[in-house]
Amino acid sequence: MVILSLPKDGRGCLYLSTPLRVTAVLLVLTLLHFISLTSFAQQDPMYSMYMFNGLAVNPAYAGSRERPTVLALYRHQWAGLEGAPKTAVLVGHSTLLNDKLGLGGSVTSDNISIFNTIRVRADYAYRIKFKKHGKLAIGINVEFTNYRARWSELSLNDINDNAFLSAKESFVSPNFGAGVYYYTNRFYAGASVPHLLNASLSEGFKYEGTDSIARQWKHYFYTMGAVFSLGKHVKMKPSVLFKYVKNAPFEADFNLNFLIREAFWFGAGYRTGDAVIFMTEYNFAKGIRIGYAYDYTLTELQDYNSGSHEIMIGYEFQKTTYLTPRRMSYF
């Protein structure tokens, strides 16, 4: 039997009794893995600043900044709640062959409770430029994910429980995905499925006497955004991210940001059934970008955490051939 409870002091407790099947633990923790209870079993890491980090959800985004770009991001979800998700990611992408191709890659480390996941991903995009304006990119990605479970950190009533003694601590799972992305200087829209294989997670641990029930399900993403001028020095950028995964409710992020003097972004958003988001970003003249987002939880978990924090820092190598340094940096 597995009972997960959240006392008033906000500390999570896991009570175990034998006989215990590891599949029960995997089912519960996989539903929590990467995202949270309020994200309804979505397994991919959550990013509040997705509109400035498009490669996280769509391989076709590779090269769309029109210059070599690197970005590092750290997210601490539900600060103050023991075992809550913590995610760190390093991303890089650029164009090649007269901007016809886009190449990118990322390394992501995600932690929740006793689980640690490290994902290495490569992205490729073929870009078609239209005569009047706009580009259409068709992308694919290949990734390898290392799943690790620190079973020894669990407090068992029976330390000789064979279900845990026979379980592997880590395994590697390959996967691939695809996406499309259309954008101009003032508009973008994209759709993607980063994981096309419903890879089994529980079989990878190779524990005895259990059935495989936990899987990495396909996640479907649709993004869209635009930039409108409100005056000489002010621009408005509404954006949306729709997310869907099998056996989970449909989820959407709605955001509205403002750009002041081509340098300072600030705005807010709403994630359905989850949180209100406040964010800001500053673009320095030398190509450095620094951003921060804060999520205020709207669910019952607000009694056990002080919100979620996301910090981003990026650098874009400048191209002197551009008439405007931030010509393609709205997205």
Side-chain angles (χ1 to χ4, degrees):
M1 177 177 64
V2 178
I3 303 174
L4 184 66
S5 64
L6 289 172
K8 291 301 182 180
D9 63 359
R11 297 174 60 87
C13 296
L14 187 66
Y15 300 94
L16 304 171
S17 62
T18 50
L20 176 66
R21 300 175 66 86
V22 177
T23 43
V25 178
L26 281 173
L27 178 60
V28 174
L29 293 179
T30 300
L31 293 179
L32 295 173
H33 192 44
F34 293 128
I35 302 298
S36 62
L37 291 169
T38 58
S39 294
F40 307 105
Q42 292 194 17
Q43 295 167 307
D44 283 1
M46 176 188 298
Y47 302 105
S48 293
M49 292 186 286
Y50 66 86
M51 70 293 296
F52 301 114
N53 181 27
L55 201 63
V57 297
N58 194 338
Y61 185 83
S64 63
R65 303 288 294 188
E66 305 299 332
R67 65 197 73 183
T69 301
V70 292
L71 181 145
L73 185 146
Y74 176 76
R75 178 178 176 84
H76 185 181
Q77 187 160 321
W78 296 342
L81 181 63
E82 185 176 356
K86 296 179 181 179
T87 306
V89 59
L90 179 64
V91 178
H93 61 108
S94 183
T95 57
L96 293 173
L97 300 179
N98 292 325
D99 296 339
K100 291 183 179 180
L101 302 180
L103 291 180
S106 62
V107 178
T108 304
S109 175
D110 198 75
N111 291 273
I112 178 171
S113 187
I114 65 166
F115 283 98
N116 171 252
T117 303
I118 297 179
R119 176 176 296 158
V120 179
R121 177 172 141 180
D123 303 273
Y124 166 85
Y126 180 76
R127 294 144 52 81
I128 303 170
K129 183 177 180 180
F130 297 100
K131 289 184 177 181
K132 291 187 177 181
H133 66 281
K135 293 181 181 179
L136 174 67
I138 303 171
I140 58 174
N141 65 270
V142 177
E143 68 179 33
F144 293 89
T145 304
N146 175 248
Y147 296 92
R148 180 175 295 275
R150 302 185 298 275
W151 303 117
S152 61
E153 295 184 10
L154 291 177
S155 298
L156 302 177
N157 288 342
D158 181 4
I159 61 174
N160 296 316
D161 193 322
N162 189 59
F164 284 98
L165 293 176
S166 64
K168 291 181 62 176
E169 290 193 350
S170 69
F171 71 98
V172 175
S173 176
N175 215 316
F176 67 97
V180 294
Y181 185 72
Y182 172 79
Y183 66 101
T184 69
N185 288 352
R186 299 295 182 113
F187 173 82
Y188 75 92
S192 62
V193 186
H195 314 296
L196 287 171
L197 299 179
N198 289 332
S200 171
L201 301 181
S202 50
E203 282 190 4
F205 286 109
K206 300 295 182 184
Y207 43 84
E208 295 180 1
T210 57
D211 299 323
S212 175
I213 56 175
R215 290 187 176 276
Q216 181 185 43
W217 294 102
K218 296 186 185 76
H219 287 61
Y220 300 88
F221 295 93
Y222 177 76
T223 56
M224 183 171 62
V227 171
F228 303 95
S229 294
L230 299 182
K232 184 177 180 181
H233 299 297
V234 181
K235 293 181 175 63
M236 179 179 68
K237 177 184 176 182
S239 61
V240 64
L241 169 63
F242 297 115
K243 296 169 277 187
Y244 174 74
V245 59
K246 183 180 179 180
N247 300 323
F250 180 82
E251 185 177 277
D253 284 33
F254 299 96
N255 297 87
L256 182 62
N257 284 276
F258 295 90
L259 176 63
I260 309 298
R261 293 187 176 273
E262 298 289 324
F264 177 59
W265 288 100
F266 71 94
Y270 170 69
R271 183 177 302 117
T272 56
D274 183 15
V276 174
I277 306 161
F278 305 93
M279 67 186 69
T280 183
E281 178 185 317
Y282 190 82
N283 296 334
F284 294 87
K286 298 295 184 179
I288 299 175
R289 306 160 57 206
I290 297 179
Y292 170 77
Y294 173 77
D295 298 8
Y296 178 77
T297 307
L298 298 177
T299 68
E300 294 180 358
L301 281 175
Q302 66 182 214
D303 295 332
Y304 309 106
N305 74 94
S306 58
S308 302
H309 305 271
E310 191 169 301
I311 301 172
M312 178 188 70
I313 182 169
Y315 179 74
E316 295 181 338
F317 295 84
Q318 301 300 295
K319 288 186 177 182
T320 57
T321 55
Y322 278 6
L323 296 177
T324 305
R326 296 187 178 90
R327 177 181 171 190
M328 295 294 291
S329 297
Y330 295 131
F331 310 116

